[in-house]
Amino acid sequence: MEGFGEEYALGECLDVLTPTGLRTGQVKKRHLVHADGDYHRAVHVWLFAESSQELLLQKRADCKDSWPGLWDISSAGHISAGDTPLLTARRELQEELGITLQADAFEFLFVYLQEDVINDGKYINNEYNDVYLVTLVDPIPIEAFTLQESEVSAVKYIKWIEYEELQRKKDASFVPCDVDGGYSALFSAIRSRYEVDTSSRVEELQKQLYRYVPVEINGETAGLKKGDLLALSDTIRAAKLLDRIFLEQEWATNPALKDSLQSAAGKSELDRLKFAYYLINKSPWSILDENDAFLTTADSAIQVSESAVEKSVTWGGKVQYRVAFPVDKAPGANFYPVDMDKKEFKTWKGALSKDQQADATDFFTVIRRSGDIHDENGAKVHDLKIIPYSKEYANVLKEASTLLHKAGDFAETPSLKRLLKAKADAFLSNDYYDSDIAWMELDSPIDVTIGPYETYEDGLFGYKATFEAFIGIRDDEATRQLKLFSDNLQEMEDNLPMADEYKSKGVTASPIRVIQLLYNSGDVKGPQTVAFNLPNDDRIVKERGTAMVMLKNISQAKFDYILLPIATVCVEASQRGAVDFDSFFTHTICHECCHGIGPHNIVTPDGRESTVRLELQEVYSAIEEAKADIVGLWALHFLVDKGLLSKKLEETMYVSFLAGCFRSIRFGLEEAHGKGQALQFNFILEKGGFSYHPDGTFSVDYTKVYITSIE
């Protein structure tokens, strides 16, 4: 960061914040911000060397207007108006110390609010600091640093424990640091990573793994035509490639993390368990623990930067660092810049043309930064840009497309051939409309779902779709038994307990296919799904409805290994016998069918044509899952009342649903199904449809639950 005089001459401006850290929209020059005590933002960057367990400190230049001549953070600086924290962190490290590192070296740790007054009250520092940690494998030699004389007079390394203790003793040679208060998170992070009890960590990972049950799945392929069987092989090969894309969609450095964990998995029991649990979650965040990180950057891959320093005297010049990822999972995953917030996106989107706005919110695009862009007056402007999936993931999609075309050439079943060819083309064109129609019309012994579909991982807006694949063998007998659900969709829509103005006309019967799953990939992390209802394209939903695929062997496994044991613990003894597979499976069918009914395309109060998805944004997924569950219960009653389902179902479906609540809530409140289930359970419990007993179990009150579920 430039010296005070130079800053004033250039007119460096800062965004003024409220005392709670929100932007006011006001921009002021830096010297006025500190004179007036305005709240503003800055970054702190710490260089930490693993091998020596040292932090790098810089000695502030004597000309500095705050804390001159004292030892301080490795690098720090104000975030100029319109700039982002990560961009500032990288720039300050380069300007002050001559170190240039990629964005994946910077791990965001926490925000620290610093409030102090110095220089006889002339310098008021009310500063929200984004604190970053760069984990080096070895210390960068002192002579390799290029110091910005107006900012830094010297640098040195110090053991982090020693630095923490000197700060605690309030050593006058250091800029004060609140090591027992807000800044303790830095030292806690280092301590938890490098003073770890291996046996305790092994035990914790074992407990996390034991929550999952390994199950062998299979399907009968003996009756398949030779060409279809050859197509199946290449389709699975294409599906395996989608894992690469999904890992990258979760987090930019996720693929490197997987490779690192895999290469180390044979070194120790701890390394084996880390990789095993990673494979379940497909990221360093544990789904069943509200996305708490079970790994840290200390477990991550090592990257080599060939040109990190500007000069090298007796040293090779290469810098090795740990590829960083945040402890808290980014709500926007890797669909958006990590330092972009909703306000920036909405402001940028508002300046786009109508077609560009549609592209920005499209299922199949990512948002990236163009670089450092300023207007003619030197003010920072939004540098966001739209990239289609076909370009962002081009290398993998080209390979997958080739395999799907090859599979299509082999396929003997006409609808399978059409689907595989259409998906292969969509991977390259980024237009999935025709391929989704082909998927809905699939009538084949081999059932294939492959491509970008679900939007659960986009926690910012719910716009962006993740890649996934489900490949199985159709269960013809079970599929025939389920035709009644798709045949009654319009009648169910017409009788929904809501105002007629919100009901859709011309609801198309949803095809339902029951399969025995053979292989899945991509966004299939954590608890496995038992069914899905696609596509999510509102154009197709409006024109053609949706189609449903039921994974019967997965449903049976969940019932046997998860739902029944949960019922034993959570359901009152006299009602446990009412928990049965038929009720569980049938409600799952209704749940998926009911994604296709109810409001989708809407007109807002100001006359805009929109969709429920676009208006609800990040809360859509959880509300939609809750809707499908509750309307699914209503639909079961509706079909029972029509005589299409057995009256006995009323005795079992609510108790099976109650047990299922506890199964789904285990997914966590950060996951759409878990959050949606928690909403329903709490509402029904509050209204008396469920009852709690002193022994810790729950039961269904049949006199209240039906009325409660449709209120």
Side-chain angles (χ1 to χ4, degrees), residues 392-462:
E392 180 75 1
Y393 311 117
N395 292 338
V396 178
L397 289 177
K398 287 177 182 177
E399 189 176 353
S401 176
T402 298
L403 286 168
L404 289 182
H405 268 301
K406 183 181 175 184
D409 290 337
F410 282 129
E412 294 184 46
T413 301
S415 63
L416 178 62
K417 180 186 288 288
R418 178 191 172 202
L419 170 66
L420 295 174
K421 291 284 188 178
K423 283 296 180 186
D425 292 340
F427 281 176
L428 303 185
S429 69
N430 215 53
D431 184 352
Y432 286 86
Y433 183 88
D434 288 342
S435 69
D436 282 343
I437 295 295
W439 177 82
M440 291 189 68
E441 296 176 349
L442 180 64
D443 182 10
S444 166
I446 298 175
D447 199 273
V448 176
T449 302
I450 187 167
Y453 282 108
E454 304 291 9
T455 61
Y456 302 128
E457 292 302 299
D458 180 359
L460 273 183
F461 298 105

Side-chain angles (χ1 to χ4, degrees), residues 31 72 90 117 121 183 251 277 312 375 412 433 437 469 486 559 578 634 680:
H31 73 288
D72 197 8
R90 294 180 65 196
V117 180
Y183 228 97
W251 186 250
Y277 199 51
S312 177
D375 64 19
E412 294 184 46
Y433 183 88
I437 295 295
S486 61
F559 182 81
W634 170 86
Q680 302 164 67

Side-chain angles (χ1 to χ4, degrees), residues 267-282:
K267 293 181 179 180
S268 68
E269 176 65 2
L270 176 59
D271 290 314
R272 183 190 72 79
L273 292 171
K274 286 193 293 187
F275 185 53
Y277 199 51
Y278 173 88
L279 289 178
I280 289 174
N281 292 278
K282 295 194 174 186

Side-chain angles (χ1 to χ4, degrees), residues 477-586:
E477 181 180 356
T479 298
R480 282 193 297 271
Q481 293 173 348
L482 301 180
K483 192 172 184 295
L484 75 93
F485 293 98
S486 61
D487 287 349
N488 285 274
L489 271 186
Q490 182 63 66
E491 190 172 0
M492 287 193 287
E493 174 83 26
D494 293 340
N495 286 277
L496 283 171
M498 66 181 186
D500 289 343
E501 62 186 286
Y502 299 116
K503 295 176 182 177
S504 301
K505 300 299 181 184
V507 175
T508 306
S510 290
I512 304 176
R513 309 195 291 261
V514 181
I515 71 171
Q516 304 291 340
L517 183 68
L518 289 178
Y519 182 79
N520 62 10
S521 66
D523 188 4
V524 292
K525 61 180 185 174
Q528 298 297 290
T529 188
V530 297
F532 48 87
N533 189 284
L534 297 172
N536 289 321
D537 187 327
D538 290 307
R539 297 173 301 169
I540 298 177
V541 173
K542 183 178 181 180
E543 297 167 6
R544 309 276 303 256
T546 58
M548 180 185 0
V549 177
M550 308 289 301
L551 314 180
K552 191 167 185 180
N553 50 351
I554 302 299
S555 296
Q556 188 70 61
K558 280 183 176 284
F559 182 81
D560 292 341
Y561 294 104
I562 300 174
L563 195 65
L564 283 179
I566 285 175
T568 301
V569 174
C570 298
V571 177
E572 195 269 328
S574 67
Q575 292 190 351
R576 286 173 197 159
V579 179
D580 71 343
F581 178 71
D582 285 343
S583 295
F584 170 66
F585 191 60
T586 306

Side-chain angles (χ1 to χ4, degrees), residues 365-385:
T365 63
V366 295
I367 308 301
R368 297 289 181 252
R369 292 202 181 279
S370 302
D372 220 357
I373 301 177
H374 296 76
D375 64 19
E376 58 185 8
N377 298 316
K380 187 77 167 62
V381 298
H382 299 290
D383 59 347
L384 301 177
K385 63 179 179 179

